[in-house]
Amino acid sequence: MESATLKAGATSETTPELQAMRAYAAELSVLRQISHLLSWDEKTYMPPLGGAGRARQRALIAGIGHERATAPEFNRVIAAVEEQQPDSREARVLRRVYDLSTKLPNDFVREQMEAIGVAGPAWQRAREDDDFSVLAPHLERLVALARRQAEYTGYETEPYDALHDLYEEGMTAAELQPLFEGLRAPTQRLVDMQPEPDTSLLRRPYPVDVQRQFVRQIVASMGYDMRAGRVDPTTHPFCCTPGADDVRLTTRYDERWLPAGLFATIHEAGHGIYEQALFRLQVPAPLAEVPTFGMHESQSRMYENVVGRSLAFWEHHFPQLQQAFPEALVDATVEQFHRAVNVVERSFIRVEADEVTYNMHIALRFEIERALINGELEVRDLPDAWDAGMERWLGIRPTNQTDGCLQDVHWSMGSFGYFPTYTLGNVYAAQFVEAAQRDLGDLDAQLRQGDLTRLVAWFDEHVYRHGRAYTGREFVERITGGPIDVKPLVSYLDGKFGAIAS
Ligand code: ZN
């Protein structure tokens, strides 16, 4: 690909100090890759009895990683570059890594790990019994720990910001709130005008071995390089980077529900294309990472939804899909298929939610976790707050807790402040695609040709080659010349789902 010759984000002159800092950062990356390899194997092919030994391996590698990230030597190599090149972006991102790793006392980290360790099984039991009170005492402890963490880390306005900043640097709750408010009315309008859902087409038999072939072909055609990747089955799909030029996708297949495997794989391939680009474009080690979770999600959501659920994309790929599954799709048209994969409806489960209502699920979680961390909501009142919030944002009320406030694993893992990155990903994606279309012309025409090379090259130039030199907000400002804004997302959803409804 032409863009492989682009110069990576760093423009600074190479000095021995910079080389030393890059070498240090490269070793930190290798340690992280090793831990990815261990966890990839654990979630794919490790035999059941391997768990205890694997836990020891992971703990040892994590310990070494933490030691290196908090070592005085790390501080020293960063400081040497800071002194020479005060504006160095490479030094700036590593300074943040060092600061965040050294801010939390060791006994606090241990206590938090231990609390998370026992909360996991309690969450499972609470779900089995459909009983929030099983999880409640664990959640109380995790919320208290998260509040302490916010105090250690520091914030300007509210404790929640300190935690959200770990996932989305520089973003605050006060800025998130109007984004969600801005999405509410347009979402409700679109949901109300959608046709009766009909997904019967997707519930016919789709042999898993054929799906396995087909999704590989699709993601390769989108730009995911199979020579630097793999696709393997797992329970909860994810993407990880166990080595340089080794970025792996995992997925799951359901013979009677085509979207499960198809769109999970395309989603993870979006993450994978981003990660692979960092190696392909030879981004220097300190910057060779995706900057924020919102930025990562902007690519997975873009490939999955904006590209992968578009009519133009399937105008190219539907004949191949029909050929792969002649029995299921013999009498189907591409328009029917496009409608079936874009059904919009109010539902309880976030991970199964469609592109339109998804952000309402996130708004609810944002509101609740913000109130918990800021001390405005007690854990015992969470189930009621959940049901009321569901009613306000989505207009439906859960009938049980398993499909309500117990559905997500995040809080039981001590992750507060993560959820909004999903919606930020959608917002960023729409802003980026709008800008890309100004540069590239008719994106649909390119999708209809099955040609994504110009789109990927545009992201090489504007996003991928910079690695984590900028935050999500900075990328938006550089690319659009304006602030983070929901308008492009709303107009994209209006255009697409307005057409489907008419
Ligand atoms: Zn994702």
Side-chain angles (χ1 to χ4, degrees), residues 431-432 435 438 473-484:
Q431 290 194 268
F432 295 159
R438 269 198 296 271
R473 183 210 314 284
E474 288 168 335
F475 272 114
V476 168
E477 284 166 357
R478 288 170 59 90
I479 289 169
T480 69
I484 298 170

Side-chain angles (χ1 to χ4, degrees), residues 24-42:
Y24 202 103
E27 283 199 1
L28 290 179
S29 303
V30 169
L31 284 166
R32 200 174 42 248
Q33 290 162 359
I34 294 171
S35 73
H36 277 204
L37 182 57
L38 293 174
S39 100
W40 173 84
D41 176 71
E42 184 176 326

